Amino acid sequence: MRRPILLLCLVLGLGTLTGCSGGGPYCDAIDDAKEPLTSFGKQTDAAFASYAKVTKDIAEVAPEDVKKEWQAIAKATGKVVVAHRKADFRLQDMKDEVKVNALSQQDIDRITAAHEAFNDTRSQRVAVVENVDDECGIDLSEK
């Protein structure tokens, strides 16, 4: 009778340890994406594209209480990437007045709308940073 109890304790103990260190698919996805999530401020095509991909991937495994927030962030980020690609205009060129002035009005409108939609996700971004800290113990806040 002792063996089943010992085995049960080992299994339960292992599950507890695994749960704390791994955190499941959501926390694993966050941990795997820490670099793009925390280096987002670089505002380059590569950084934004990477951020768009990882937010989409995370949205697929996010818990229900933050799934909509991750989806909104992923959608808005993806729109920024698409708008810049359609205009053949790199994010890192946003401060180059000559290149900005060379854009068509349609491209300017599309890029502006995409950036405004992304800026409108501020509350969702704050919510997911708090959730990731609470759920996974990972700090994604800007320092």
Side-chain angles (χ1 to χ4, degrees), residues 18-32 34 37 58 61-63 65-66 70 128-140:
T18 305
C20 291
S21 65
Y26 176 60
C27 292
D28 290 346
I30 299 291
D31 194 44
D32 291 345
K34 262 172 75 170
L37 291 173
I58 293 167
V61 296
D65 58 332
V66 288
W70 280 108
V128 299
V129 166
E130 289 175 7
N131 175 267
V132 167
D133 192 27
D134 292 345
E135 290 281 321
C136 308
I138 298 172
D139 183 8
L140 297 178

